[in-house]
Amino acid sequence: MIALKSFIIRIIPKTTLSYAARRAYGVASTAVQQSYSINPSQPATHMKAIDIAMSTERPINTWTVEEIKEIYNMPLMELAFQAQVQHRKFHDPTEVQLCTLLSIKTGGCTEDCKYCAQSNRYDTGVEAEKMISIEEVLAKAKTAKENGSTRFCMGAAWREMKGRKSGMKKITEMVKKINNELKLETCVTLGMIDKQQADDFAKAGLTAYNHNIDTSREHYPNVISTRAFSDRLATINNVQEAGINACTGGILGLGETEEDHVSFLHTLSTMKRHPESLPINRLVPIKGTPMAKELENLPANSERKLKFEQILKTIATARLIMPNSIIRLAAGRYTMKEHEQFLCFMCGCNAIFTGEKMLTTMCNGWKEDIEMLKKWGLKPMKSFERKTYV
């Protein structure tokens, strides 16, 4: 009986059921959870990982590497199906968050991230520039809103905000004006910040702070040496402690393996609070960066060469183990064909970056994205209307 109820819970999204069926679904779900003592704060026993994921009503923060690997390695058709069911359980399947990213200070970063065109260590043709004016930022944000974007993100090529009082003042002013005058959600990505800086951004009304972990803890030293993996986690903790939503994900295609994908997801899914938004970037190799050269030299059959199905598996697994997070197709989306983007959405994506540019790389334009999403039956998610979970 329990097995049958578990099967019903796993395969049928509640939103498609009649009232009577929903009551039965709820009874079955309760029975299964009580039988296996599912508690988001305690590891479950005697259940397959997919059953744990599909029967919970709240995000779980105690995932093991083995459980995540079990989900990640499911047959792709089944994995995608279960992710779609999970997506409909926790999200409105007709809504997608449209975000626009603006570089407010380009180039000159002192970090040695092997993939980044903005590092001052590499000859990529990107020159260091000064921060743009508040007026120019507001004009760009207004254009984004007119084109349907509901979250406006601002990035500066800095290692950290330490000693940048003038920059902090300008950026908090930008946040206030965009929130209050344009009624858009705001996100910034400015490198490492301490607790006081996080508090200052919270007071300014910042919606989210982006700080990606980039890759797995194990692979991280192969990509960056000027900042520790623990430094990234400390910034994310400072952001969340201040009451700001954490936007944190990573980049696929940095010469990592599938084990790294699992480890990457394990780090994110075992945070005290899952990321409010989780960007999945597909690396666009930039000429002049060490990463571009390393990838060129990989053998054609190398396990470290990213395959498209690995992107789908990462997205679907993220949706299953972090069900309440917004999963965003970020940099590199323009390299995907429309049907590939469609598959990413079928695996649980519900946000995109759209507009003129993604910092230093290309971005799909608003018009083509609106037409594409309309074809799929999707509409923009409104600003400030999504409930933030605890």
Side-chain angles (χ1 to χ4, degrees), residues 2-3 11 17 53 78 91 97 115 133 143 155 163 181 211 214 268 277 287 291 293 338 358:
I2 291 297
I11 68 169
L17 302 179
E78 178 69 9
H91 300 268
Q97 187 182 64
Y115 56 81
S133 68
T143 299
E181 295 179 16
H211 199 67
D214 281 358
L268 295 173
S277 51
K287 186 177 180 180
M291 184 58 66
K293 189 173 182 179
E338 184 174 320
M358 280 287 295

Side-chain angles (χ1 to χ4, degrees), residues 241-291:
E241 288 295 317
I244 301 171
N245 291 321
C247 173
T248 180
I251 306 169
L252 304 184
L254 296 174
E256 76 280 0
T257 65
E258 289 195 292
E259 286 74 20
D260 290 310
H261 295 161
V262 169
S263 178
F264 160 74
L265 292 168
H266 178 255
T267 296
L268 295 173
S269 65
T270 53
M271 290 179 175
K272 291 180 182 178
R273 287 181 58 193
H274 290 167
E276 180 261 354
S277 51
L278 198 166
I280 296 295
N281 299 273
R282 183 189 201 178
L283 180 71
V284 178
I286 304 295
K287 186 177 180 180
T289 61
M291 184 58 66

Side-chain angles (χ1 to χ4, degrees), residues 105-268:
K105 194 280 174 189
T106 302
C109 182
T110 59
E111 299 273 29
D112 70 350
C113 307
K114 288 184 177 180
Y115 56 81
C116 187
Q118 302 198 69
S119 172
N120 63 12
R121 298 164 184 256
Y122 315 132
D123 183 13
T124 61
V126 176
E127 301 294 332
E129 300 175 2
K130 293 181 179 180
M131 187 190 299
I132 63 179
S133 68
I134 295 177
E135 291 72 25
E136 186 174 352
V137 171
L138 288 175
K140 293 288 187 180
K142 184 178 179 182
T143 299
K145 181 177 181 179
E146 290 171 349
N147 282 279
S149 292
T150 55
R151 179 173 288 192
F152 191 73
C153 309
M154 296 166 280
W158 288 325
R159 167 182 164 77
E160 59 187 344
M161 289 302 293
K162 184 179 180 180
R164 302 188 186 278
K165 291 185 179 180
S166 176
M168 280 288 297
K169 185 177 180 181
K170 283 184 179 180
I171 296 170
T172 53
E173 187 65 22
M174 293 172 187
V175 169
K176 291 175 183 177
K177 287 183 176 293
I178 294 169
N179 282 351
N180 300 330
E181 295 179 16
L182 298 179
K183 307 301 180 185
L184 290 174
E185 295 180 11
T186 49
C187 180
V188 296
T189 178
L190 311 166
M192 295 181 287
I193 59 173
D194 59 29
K195 291 182 179 181
Q196 182 58 57
Q197 291 161 344
D199 287 338
D200 290 342
F201 278 125
K203 290 175 184 176
L206 183 66
T207 310
Y209 193 94
N210 168 259
H211 199 67
N212 291 332
I213 63 171
D214 281 358
T215 188
S216 71
R217 185 186 295 272
E218 295 79 9
H219 188 54
Y220 186 89
N222 299 322
V223 180
I224 303 159
S225 69
T226 50
R227 182 192 322 190
F229 194 77
S230 59
D231 292 330
R232 292 188 179 268
L233 298 181
T235 288
I236 295 166
N237 185 66
N238 291 339
V239 166
Q240 292 183 324
E241 288 295 317
I244 301 171
N245 291 321
C247 173
T248 180
I251 306 169
L252 304 184
L254 296 174
E256 76 280 0
T257 65
E258 289 195 292
E259 286 74 20
D260 290 310
H261 295 161
V262 169
S263 178
F264 160 74
L265 292 168
H266 178 255
T267 296
L268 295 173

Side-chain angles (χ1 to χ4, degrees), residues 73-128:
N73 287 325
M74 287 173 60
L76 185 55
M77 287 284 284
E78 178 69 9
L79 178 62
F81 172 74
Q82 296 291 359
Q84 182 61 206
V85 173
Q86 186 82 311
H87 182 79
R88 290 169 179 268
K89 180 179 174 182
F90 284 83
H91 300 268
D92 183 338
T94 68
E95 290 188 343
V96 55
Q97 187 182 64
L98 302 186
C99 312
T100 294
L101 175 60
L102 174 67
S103 178
I104 61 174
K105 194 280 174 189
T106 302
C109 182
T110 59
E111 299 273 29
D112 70 350
C113 307
K114 288 184 177 180
Y115 56 81
C116 187
Q118 302 198 69
S119 172
N120 63 12
R121 298 164 184 256
Y122 315 132
D123 183 13
T124 61
V126 176
E127 301 294 332

